[in-house]
Amino acid sequence: MKTVDSLNRQAFNGEQHQEHIMDRRTLARMMFIYNIVQFDLFIGSPCVDLPRSLDQNDDWVWSVYPRLFASFIYFWSRHKEILGPCTGNKCSEALVVDGHQKCRRRVCKAKEIEIKTDLFEKMIVGCCRTPLRYSKYCELHLHKHPETDNNKQKNSRELVISSHIRSWKTRRSQKEKHFGATGCCTSKARGDSYVRKCARSFGVIAAVTNCCIVTTFGEFFRTETLKEILQLLTNSIKVSGVVPKTAVYDDGCHLIEYLHKHIGKDLAETYAAKALSQIKFSVDRTYFRNHVGSWCRANMNPDKNPLLENINTQAAEQLFSWLKELDRNQH
């Protein structure tokens, strides 16, 4: 970097001008590669592989992502042990889970991608790839979804009506059973009609310690579903081996209800899933007033959770606010 700085200073002092304007996408790729290499060295890799050319950048990123992401989860989940506590005796006392929808991006409109995980035999996710230019689909799904063929698809009005009917039937059939959490109108899932029409991602989800350290994160391509949140949290436990003492999520009542009702059935009873089911969840103090279910009011109150005494349950919101301000300043 010192060599680069000296060359830049020499060019500036000599009034030398750049003859060709660099493509901003090329510059962005170079910066991404630099930061990825920097992180790879940071986690202790003795050597780092690089793509032979920028054209191979995407394939290279896909190949190194699983390893680097696992290292990220392990390091920051255990930062208290590795680096020492950052906030005295309150470091990593709680995990705050929250979503952030201000960083949405264009994604392929293929919304019915079915995957199998260690937790679920079947999970529907959206395609994460960027669409081709002048298209709504990526290179992998363009031939499967001809954009001129609209005869096989319902029109938007039919989709909206059917979605409303399903929602009405679901609400009508709901009863106060065991958890009683379904009385809270705090579900994050969107209807199929909205999901199919939407050509952008649904933001990111992050698990943040009360000391504002991101331990894991993910991106939503359909909607914020309970399955994807459970998969995110169990992956973190499996990779890091760290089980948080307590956790906070603004829709924690539905998350806990789903976990306890489905574990051992269509949700595999893995070590991570069983560990997650034993964690005491609460609702963020900011959103608890929106929760009206009887079980939720009795069991999800953060002020009645002794593990959250003097704990910052708004760490994720504060982090996202800082990121938003940082992004604004960058532009």
Side-chain angles (χ1 to χ4, degrees):
M1 291 301 294
K2 290 183 178 180
T3 303
V4 174
D5 288 340
S6 63
L7 291 174
N8 286 337
R9 192 176 297 109
Q10 181 180 353
F12 179 80
N13 293 334
E15 297 184 354
Q16 299 178 14
H17 301 285
Q18 186 171 337
E19 296 181 0
H20 302 286
I21 299 176
M22 178 175 286
D23 178 29
R24 62 182 180 85
R25 294 182 180 84
T26 302
L27 180 61
R29 285 182 176 181
M30 293 169 64
M31 292 302 298
F32 277 129
I33 292 174
Y34 173 78
N35 282 282
I36 290 171
V37 169
Q38 191 177 40
F39 176 73
D40 207 353
L41 295 173
F42 167 75
I43 61 176
S45 299
C47 59
V48 177
D49 294 328
L50 292 173
R52 291 181 177 273
S53 67
L54 287 179
D55 293 336
Q56 300 175 351
N57 176 68
D58 291 350
D59 293 334
W60 172 72
V61 171
W62 279 113
S63 66
V64 300
Y65 176 77
R67 176 178 61 84
L68 295 181
F69 187 48
S71 298
F72 178 93
I73 293 173
Y74 184 88
F75 182 88
W76 291 114
S77 295
R78 293 182 172 272
H79 76 276
K80 183 178 180 179
E81 304 170 17
I82 299 173
L83 301 177
C86 53
T87 53
N89 60 353
K90 294 295 183 180
C91 179
S92 302
E93 287 294 297
L95 195 66
V96 184
V97 183
D98 198 10
H100 182 60
Q101 296 187 353
K102 300 298 189 295
C103 52
R104 302 176 69 180
R105 63 182 178 90
R106 286 186 67 236
V107 291
C108 174
K109 284 194 70 175
K111 303 293 185 180
E112 305 297 328
I113 310 300
E114 184 178 313
I115 63 172
K116 179 180 178 181
T117 70
D118 61 332
L119 207 60
F120 298 100
E121 281 290 326
K122 174 183 176 182
M123 189 165 73
I124 305 297
V125 297
C127 179
C128 63
R129 295 176 180 269
T130 302
L132 295 173
R133 194 175 185 184
Y134 305 121
S135 174
K136 297 178 181 178
Y137 297 94
C138 68
E139 186 176 5
L140 293 178
H141 298 107
L142 182 62
H143 66 286
K144 298 179 182 178
H145 300 83
E147 299 183 65
T148 56
D149 185 11
N150 295 321
N151 296 326
K152 297 181 181 179
Q153 298 182 1
K154 293 183 178 180
N155 61 49
S156 58
R157 181 175 177 81
E158 289 176 335
L159 289 171
V160 170
I161 292 173
S162 62
S163 178
H164 281 304
I165 291 174
R166 283 196 302 272
S167 299
W168 176 77
K169 288 182 177 179
T170 302
R171 289 195 301 269
R172 187 179 180 185
S173 63
Q174 285 174 350
K175 298 179 181 179
E176 292 283 326
K177 295 180 181 178
H178 186 53
F179 287 96
T182 50
C184 299
C185 301
T186 55
S187 176
K188 301 298 187 68
R190 297 294 190 97
D192 286 342
S193 59
Y194 179 82
V195 170
R196 292 181 187 180
K197 289 188 295 183
C198 191
R200 302 183 73 83
S201 64
F202 287 78
V204 298
I205 186 80
V208 185
T209 62
N210 58 292
C211 45
C212 293
I213 298 295
V214 178
T215 59
T216 186
F217 58 89
E219 190 174 11
F220 292 121
F221 305 106
R222 278 179 55 90
T223 183
E224 189 172 327
T225 64
L226 299 178
K227 280 187 175 183
E228 290 180 83
I229 295 170
L230 290 172
Q231 188 68 56
L232 182 83
L233 295 176
T234 53
N235 280 347
S236 179
I237 293 174
K238 182 174 67 174
V239 170
S240 67
V242 176
V243 180
K245 297 178 182 178
T246 186
V248 174
Y249 178 49
D250 54 8
D251 193 27
C253 53
H254 288 104
L255 185 73
I256 291 300
E257 179 191 33
Y258 185 91
L259 176 60
H260 283 266
K261 283 186 176 181
H262 292 263
I263 191 168
K265 299 175 183 176
D266 57 335
L267 191 157
E269 197 172 0
T270 63
Y271 162 76
K274 289 189 288 186
L276 187 65
S277 67
Q278 300 301 315
I279 296 174
K280 171 62 177 174
F281 268 83
S282 296
V283 174
D284 188 339
R285 290 187 175 94
T286 305
Y287 300 101
F288 184 66
R289 61 184 178 181
N290 299 327
H291 290 254
V292 296
S294 58
W295 182 89
C296 186
R297 299 296 299 182
N299 295 276
M300 303 297 289
N301 189 341
D303 293 326
K304 293 182 179 179
N305 183 351
L307 296 173
L308 291 177
E309 185 177 354
N310 298 322
I311 292 295
N312 179 19
T313 64
Q314 298 176 317
E317 290 281 356
Q318 293 166 358
L319 177 69
F320 291 142
S321 177
W322 176 80
L323 287 174
K324 183 180 178 181
E325 188 65 27
L326 178 66
D327 180 67
R328 185 183 293 114
N329 293 335
Q330 293 291 332
H331 293 83

